[in-house]
Amino acid sequence: MAPRKALNGTVLVHGDAVANNIGPEVAPSISVSTTFRAPNPAIEPPSPLSELDIRNPKRHIYSRYTQQKGYALTYASGLAASYAALVFYQPKRIAITEGYHGCYATIEVYKKTKGADLQIIGIDDEYQPGDLCWLETPLNPTGEASWKVRDIQYYADKVHKVGGKLLIDSTFAPPPLQYPFKFGADCVMHSGTKYFGGHSDLLCGILVVKALEEWKALHHDRTFLGSMMGSLEAWLLLRSLRTLHLRVPRQSATATTLAQWLNLIASTPKGQTYEGVPGGVVARVWHSSLQGKDSRGFDPSTQLEGGWNPTFAILLDNAEYATHFPHLLKYFVPATSLGGIESLAEHRLQSDSGADPRIIRLSIGVEEVEDLKEDLRQALQKVTELKAKL
Ligand SMILES: *Cc1c(COP(=O)(O)O)cnc(C)c1O
């Protein structure tokens, strides 16, 4: 397993106490006001909007302007962030292969503004100047062949050679698992709905860029696209970020233990059992810890420096097992999405009509690993009995 890198928990816990904003509250207080009193010029000389430090504002004016600091910007959702990235880069062509189906739909909407001018190519096609490579890694499971960690540096070098840009959808590996800028990415996108939010109760998208100038341009666009987060969601996000460094490494470690254990079940021949589970029930496990080096020598552990992805997929023996399996679990909730503190088991076909009907996606939460293992074990046993009854 890759060595764990600690996120700076102190910064996460105290980072929102912006110096000029500290009050007696320990937790951030919430303000849902969309507008703010103008300062009295008799007391404070007026400062024009153009001189306001938008990243660290001393005062608020209107909540569509001032909500963030850093080179990261938050959006109303992951897809709102995706749309903002398209508007920002204005790519001539987009190189994209597989990945979250919603991003394709966002690209289709964006295409309406560009007509036939915007071409879609595959990430392994030849690139040209003006291309944007849209790389999701680790890759959301959409089909049997696609579940993997992709080599960011390889695609960065390839697209930079022609002067194009690389965007990484890093939703499946938030900090401290993966830092795509280290491998040449130009922009990092997250669906903050997943691990940053972490409690299945807010929608959020995040774009991170390297230069202040880019951030300012994105901020301008966001103001006039109107795609910022709501105040309540931003407040929930601040609460969530305080425990990101505790949640994500734990979810990653538990997922790795479970994936390795499930892989032992998958390697058990039919007719034998492994820890009470009959061989043949689990046909395959996809997890970055099982990926190994590729033909170019790329080792996924170099990229996932803080641990393996906490969401992964298993292939059951047949579609019938997969249909019933999520509903036989006690702690795993049968639901789509990922990244929350509660574990989820999803029959992938329900939300992605192109998926293999035998795939179950598991999003691992922060429960005790032994309880989750026991839950999976009993459901894997029950599913075979169910089959006998059918
Ligand atoms: C969920 C998800 C998105 C979209 O994010 P929303 O917050 O649901 O809009 C984009 N990419 C990936 C990989 C996702 O899992």
Side-chain angles (χ1 to χ4, degrees), residues 77-80 100 103 136 140 169 171-172 189 191-194 203-204 338:
S77 68
L79 293 185
Y100 180 63
C103 293
E136 183 178 313
N140 201 18
D169 181 342
T171 300
F172 272 61
M189 192 274 274
S191 166
T193 309
K194 316 295 168 52
L203 284 176
C204 164
L338 57 129

